[in-house]
Amino acid sequence: MAKKVGTEVSFAVADAVKLADVDVIAAYPITPQTHIVEKLSEYVADGELDAEYICVESEHSAMSACCGSSATGARTFTATAGQGLELMHEVLTIPASSRLPMVAAICNRALSGPLSVWGDHSDLMGVRDTGWIQIIAENGQDVHDLTIAAFKISEHKDVMFPVMVHMDGFHLTHVIEPIVIMDQEDVDKFLPPFEYNNKLDPASPVSQGTYAPPHIYPEIKKAQDVALVNSKETIKAIWKEYGDLFGRYYNPIETYKTDDAETILVTMGSFSETASLAIDKLREQGKKVGLLRVRLWRPFPFAELRDAAKSAKTMIVLDRALSFGGPAGPLCSEIRSAFYQEKNRPQIISFISGLGGRDIDPEDFEAMIARGEDIAKNGSDSEYEILGVRE
Amino acid sequence: MLSWKDIPMGAIVQTPGSAKEYRTGDWRSQRPVWDLSKCIKCGLCYIYCPDASIGWKDDGYPQWDEFHCKGCGICATECWTKAINLVEETE
Ligand code: SF4
Ligand code: SF4
């Protein structure tokens, strides 16, 4: 029987990776991801996990090693954060275009400068267009379940894309939560062995990651994009299967009290749980407010989002990242795009807050909702507002 | 030409060595021309050619590969008897 234990969320990631019985881990330690790879290196050193642990000299090398590993048909994992993800960036587009399955735990961290080891979504937004499937966890249980499911999604024959599981640095990675750690037997039932048809094999040679001149490059990119968009149905099916087997369901868009909500707050990541407290309080006051959380960031679930926000007159979107001089926070830009063609589109208000590890407490969310409703009625001078900073 | 629907997953190339079907000779603006009366069959041009576009004829003289030669001119620079000249491509 799977049992609930009090454990650090980083260890719940490591345990998920161990349960998935990975073959190769290539990673470079960086705060706030370090505890994940430390734990995994212990598992390998102690013989509890039969895997290659490749100590690389940088994140760029980590991702390069992961590409090679996956190409041989080995189940592959890495983890990083912030500047480490930035250093990895150049190589990130390769497994997405070469369709090399792997799972990466990204412990979201603010980008320099100024130097910050604390959490926000700047690193997450920086890798938005690398072609990876990107999943957002909100708590320790999410992290554990979604990491296990991520291997099945990544390696599914109709998907074959690398998957990032995003989790907020410190606010998630370093907290201790009660988490149901899965049983090996259950995971083995759920997660089949990785079968890679095009693996590098001297007996039947193939070339991967080749050069493409202009007469073929656009066709390759369209094929990649269509495949990523189509992966959404398989992701949903695998999450449903996980829910049917183990009782915990995950959806591309998660909703909280949205059924009749006229004002909907939109969040992503661990702050969603804090936001739900503000929703409860406003509901008690009779306000028709709800909360909608984006779980699947890529491929973006447009239809599910529109469906979940049918009743909304105002949507208030929190971004924990800035698009400097841009139209809104990056999440809000997506939400606005999703509704632009709709006949009765809601007003969509953009707020930036929680940068570089700054907390947002339930009262801040209440104030955010109040300010959002005010802007919806009376307008604002700016495209987006940064909340929670000293004037 | 392939449609996007025909692209194998990951744009993988399943036929090894298919790069040799790519006519890199199209990139050339100059071509090397041999004056075999000056050639001493030393093989330097063969060694230096970065595109393996020089081979050997049965009689021991260099054999130029028009399909792949990019016209870089390294062979002409390295040939110490000046048996190779670069001339402008006219087509
Ligand atoms: S011009 Fe360059 S590519 Fe062509 S044969 Fe000479 S060395 Fe080789
Ligand atoms: S380098 Fe000149 S002399 Fe030597 S084999 Fe080539 S063409 Fe002949």
Side-chain angles (χ1 to χ4, degrees), chain A residues 97 99 160 198 206-207 219 222, chain B residues 1 4 9-13 16:
Chain A
S97 62
R99 309 290 293 278
M160 302 292 282
N198 285 322
V206 295
S207 304
E219 280 72 20
K222 172 155 181 173
Chain B
M1 292 273 225
W4 68 268
M9 185 179 283
I12 220 160
V13 180

Side-chain angles (χ1 to χ4, degrees), chain A residues 21-316:
Chain A
D21 193 19
V22 296
D23 302 306
V24 174
I25 301 155
Y28 191 84
I30 181 169
T31 307
Q33 152 267 32
T34 313
H35 290 183
I36 298 175
V37 292
E38 266 177 11
K39 191 53 142 184
L40 282 167
S41 69
E42 272 173 35
Y43 283 149
V44 174
D46 293 348
E48 286 183 57
L49 172 60
D50 181 17
E52 274 312 313
Y53 188 101
I54 308 176
C55 290
V56 284
E57 72 276 28
S58 74
E59 287 82 358
H60 191 281
S61 306
M63 187 42 58
S64 303
C66 286
C67 288
S69 152
S70 176
T72 66
R75 180 166 287 163
T76 302
F77 176 80
T78 190
T80 190
Q83 303 303 121
L85 187 59
E86 290 285 294
L87 184 51
M88 207 178 250
H89 195 116
E90 187 197 358
V91 195
L92 286 174
T93 54
I94 312 275
S97 62
S98 293
R99 309 290 293 278
L100 298 171
M102 65 182 72
V103 174
I106 310 298
C107 306
N108 302 121
R109 167 178 157 171
L111 295 180
S112 296
L115 174 65
S116 167
V117 296
W118 299 93
D120 72 24
H121 291 167
S122 307
D123 58 351
L124 189 164
M125 293 304 166
V127 296
R128 186 188 67 181
D129 295 334
T130 51
W132 285 55
I133 290 171
Q134 307 202 34
I135 294 164
I136 316 289
E138 294 176 7
N139 59 42
Q141 190 65 58
D142 283 13
V143 159
H144 186 69
D145 293 336
L146 292 170
T147 302
I148 292 169
F151 284 102
K152 182 154 181 166
I153 292 168
S154 181
E155 297 165 3
H156 192 283
K157 67 173 179 28
D158 296 336
V159 177
M160 302 292 282
F161 277 105
V163 178
M164 287 183 194
V165 180
H166 292 279
M167 58 204 76
D168 286 320
F170 289 112
H171 280 101
L172 259 192
T173 55
H174 284 57
V175 297
I176 292 173
E177 290 187 8
I179 299 171
V180 178
I181 301 295
M182 295 282 286
D183 258 354
Q184 189 66 60
E185 215 174 281
D186 287 341
V187 173
D188 290 347
K189 238 184 292 165
F190 169 76
L191 184 61
F194 177 27
E195 301 281 352
Y196 187 28
N197 287 336
N198 285 322
K199 68 177 170 217
L200 293 180
D201 176 0
S204 69
V206 295
S207 304
Q208 297 188 354
T210 54
Y211 159 78
H215 75 259
I216 194 75
Y217 187 92
E219 280 72 20
I220 293 173
K221 293 327 269 185
K222 172 155 181 173
Q224 180 186 339
D225 185 53
V226 169
L228 185 71
V229 170
N230 289 344
S231 73
K232 188 179 75 180
E233 291 313 315
T234 312
I235 296 168
K236 284 163 71 174
I238 289 173
W239 281 345
K240 166 131 193 342
E241 184 194 346
Y242 195 93
D244 289 346
L245 282 170
F246 310 120
R248 292 184 298 279
Y249 289 88
Y250 295 94
N251 301 290
I253 297 290
E254 305 283 5
T255 55
Y256 184 68
K257 303 191 176 175
T258 48
D259 280 352
D260 62 341
E262 291 174 2
T263 297
I264 292 185
L265 181 64
V266 184
T267 55
M268 200 156 91
S270 63
F271 284 27
S272 308
E273 304 209 332
T274 315
S276 69
L277 299 177
I279 299 298
D280 287 344
K281 188 152 169 220
L282 294 171
R283 276 278 171 184
E284 275 168 28
Q285 297 165 9
K287 299 220 166 90
K288 289 191 170 171
V289 293
L291 174 66
L292 190 155
R293 298 109 65 197
V294 177
R295 157 96 58 215
L296 184 61
W297 173 235
R298 283 293 184 275
F300 195 83
F302 288 101
E304 290 81 357
L305 173 77
R306 286 190 282 259
D307 190 50
K310 276 199 298 275
S311 59
K313 295 199 171 75
T314 305
M315 292 177 80
I316 297 165

Side-chain angles (χ1 to χ4, degrees), chain B residues 34 39-45 56 62 79 81 83-84:
Chain B
W34 270 259
C39 173
I40 56 168
K41 305 181 182 177
C42 69
L44 264 194
C45 55
W56 299 106
C79 173
T81 67
I84 308 173

